[in-house]
Amino acid sequence: MAASVGDFSTAEIRNVGLVLIHSRQDRRKGLILTCVMGGVTLALLLGTGFTLVGTYLIEKLHQVDEGVSEVTKNVLVYMAGIPFIDAVTGFHAGILLQHKHSVIVLGGAIGEVVVQLVLVLGLLQSNLSTASPILIPVIAAYSGYLTKFTVVLVGYHCVIHSKVLQEKAEKPVPIRKMLYFVWPMLLIRMIQMISRPIINILVARNDAKLGFGVQGLAILSLVYPIPRMFFATLTEIRTINPVFSKATASHKAYTTREQTYFTLGCLLIVVLISFHFLYFPDSPQTIMHFVMGVDWDIAELCVIPLWISSFISFAVAFRAHFSGWLMTQKKTKFIAPSGAVRLGVIVAVLFILPLFNIHGAELGIAALLSGFMSEAIMVGLGALAVILTNRWKGNYILTLQVKQTTRKLAEEENAIQGGSTPEEKMKSTATAFQKQYDQRELVHRERLNQLEQTAECHV
């Protein structure tokens, strides 16, 4: 619960550092927003741990006894500070990624895992494993997050803060604009969080009506992590466009076509690996039996859901590609409708497919795949809407320029007709024709540049 709440409120703050922070002044504003969001999350977790709200959420909804409920609420209180630390870390990690210092971010992530693993193994050998075993994961979690926090912050101050960022940018970014940028992604994150519980509840109720028991829900829970191992890396494609669409001293500005080829290449690699593991004879059963530790009979029932889930990678790759482009254009509001459509499609599929005798884990994975596909389509339509809007604005500006040019030419012709001598009239006429030619040439070149940009966006 602590991880879910923290992930919802702080995961997308990294994109603020990735796209909007271009000066130390912007960084201070973004840090204020980050601290506020982290503080709200901290307050929510403390409120859950100390009030009756936590008792209801843990003891009533999850149907556990009072002792387990009290231990869980204590852990929520202990873990309340982690989302705050993670938010500040993610914000500075975004700035590092913007300037292509991903090695520092990777070092922080590796340090987190190593420290947590070493501490867990060490604390299991101490008296704490018998006196208060619940504190072991809490101490390990704080140590890991603080290690990543230290690596990222030190790296930021060494390579970015005073060496790259200016004190003020040409166009400062207000906090209001940061909120306007991040709220659609927070909405999408929230809907993604509630999608899986909705699928679990409706699949369980459908199986209960048919007398299937909890087997379908158990298989669904086993299958969920497997496709995520393959498509999780594809979600990071959305960081490519904001970083590499601008020319820097180290590289040129990569076009949309080149970034599309990169996305397709990453997708091809992931699809080849996942299809090899999931479609090779007896490979899915082997993974479920040896990796997940289930019986071979249960592993056999996981094969079809795993086959269905292998197509999620296509939706994730294209969603990430279009989302990255919209982030670069600072048009994240066009991402927001995809969340509502995703939720609606999932619920609709969960009610429609049982009519065709599809139940259990197959029903849940099919609903999840439909949600991903609909979300990717809506994000793609949002990107298309931005392209068409930019084209319309460009045509409108060109029309205004043509009208202004025509009006100036008419004024110059009137001035020519008012000339006193034939020589002056000829000279004024030549000057007017030259200006007319220059103006038309300028409009023509601007029109060609806009058509080239539009064609590139379409590609």
Side-chain angles (χ1 to χ4, degrees), residues 79-396:
M79 302 282 283
I82 284 183
F84 186 88
I85 299 172
D86 193 34
V88 178
T89 305
F91 173 71
H92 289 92
I95 301 176
L96 287 169
L97 291 174
Q98 179 187 159
H99 297 279
K100 293 172 284 297
H101 292 288
S102 56
V103 175
I104 298 176
V105 180
L106 175 63
I110 294 175
E112 176 189 7
V113 174
V114 171
V115 168
Q116 288 182 349
L117 181 61
V118 171
L119 273 177
V120 168
L121 294 177
L123 292 175
L124 286 175
Q125 307 302 321
S126 66
N127 295 331
L128 196 62
S129 60
T130 55
S132 184
I134 198 64
L135 291 179
I136 293 179
V138 174
I139 295 173
Y142 268 104
S143 302
Y145 276 99
L146 287 173
T147 300
K148 183 169 67 173
F149 173 85
T150 303
V151 172
V152 170
L153 262 291
V154 170
Y156 164 79
H157 281 283
C158 289
V159 301
I160 298 293
H161 186 71
S162 58
K163 296 183 179 180
V164 177
L165 296 182
Q166 301 295 326
E167 177 61 28
K168 291 185 179 180
E170 295 181 1
K171 295 181 180 180
V173 182
I175 295 179
R176 175 181 56 82
K177 187 174 181 179
M178 295 180 186
L179 281 172
Y180 187 76
F181 174 83
V182 79
W183 78 261
M185 293 181 285
L186 289 175
L187 176 64
I188 296 299
R189 177 72 63 170
M190 181 185 68
I191 292 176
Q192 290 173 352
M193 285 174 53
I194 65 176
S195 295
R196 179 174 168 179
I198 289 175
I199 292 174
N200 289 343
I201 291 172
L202 293 181
V203 168
R205 289 185 176 182
N206 179 71
D207 289 354
K209 290 180 182 179
L210 299 174
F212 293 159
V214 296
Q215 178 177 292
L217 189 60
I219 295 174
L220 192 60
S221 300
L222 290 171
V223 170
Y224 268 134
I226 302 300
R228 186 170 181 81
M229 290 192 305
F230 300 112
F231 70 74
T233 54
L234 293 175
T235 59
E236 298 302 320
I237 290 176
R238 63 179 180 171
T239 63
I240 298 297
N241 197 287
V243 175
F244 291 97
S245 60
K246 297 176 292 185
T248 64
S250 60
H251 66 80
K252 66 173 186 176
Y254 290 89
T255 63
T256 304
R257 177 181 296 181
E258 291 171 323
Q259 294 178 37
T260 303
Y261 291 155
F262 179 80
T263 300
L264 293 175
C266 294
L267 175 61
L268 179 62
I269 293 173
V270 171
V271 167
L272 289 176
I273 295 174
S274 62
F275 276 43
H276 173 76
F277 280 103
L278 299 181
Y279 286 89
F280 197 78
D282 292 334
S283 182
Q285 297 93 318
T286 303
I287 293 175
M288 299 305 297
H289 180 66
F290 290 101
V291 176
M292 305 299 291
V294 300
D295 295 336
W296 192 266
D297 294 337
I298 300 296
E300 291 281 354
L301 299 176
C302 297
V303 173
I304 295 179
L306 285 173
W307 286 351
I308 299 173
S309 67
S310 63
F311 294 95
I312 294 178
S313 298
F314 293 93
V316 171
F318 287 105
R319 181 191 68 181
H321 181 72
F322 291 128
S323 297
W325 186 82
L326 288 170
M327 285 166 54
T328 304
Q329 303 295 319
K330 300 179 180 62
K331 300 290 185 181
T332 53
K333 65 179 180 180
F334 288 91
I335 302 177
S338 64
V341 172
R342 170 193 173 110
L343 191 60
V345 168
I346 286 176
V347 173
V349 169
L350 288 171
F351 280 103
I352 292 173
L353 288 187
L355 301 178
F356 297 92
N357 200 29
I358 299 177
H359 309 283
E362 291 86 352
L363 173 62
I365 293 296
L368 188 65
L369 174 62
S370 301
F372 274 107
M373 295 295 291
S374 61
E375 186 178 3
I377 291 172
M378 288 302 299
V379 175
L381 291 176
L384 179 61
V386 173
I387 293 173
L388 296 177
T389 302
N390 291 339
R391 178 190 293 182
W392 179 84
K393 287 182 179 179
N395 291 337
Y396 179 72

Side-chain angles (χ1 to χ4, degrees), residues 404-419 423-441:
Q404 291 175 357
T405 303
T406 304
R407 186 170 61 252
K408 289 180 180 179
L409 291 174
E411 293 175 353
E412 291 173 356
E413 289 178 359
N414 292 334
I416 292 172
Q417 293 176 359
E423 290 79 7
E424 291 178 352
K425 289 183 178 181
M426 291 178 62
K427 186 176 180 180
S428 300
T429 301
T431 303
F433 278 124
Q434 184 63 39
K435 290 183 178 179
Q436 180 181 5
Y437 176 80
D438 293 340
Q439 290 287 345
R440 289 179 177 176
E441 184 69 16

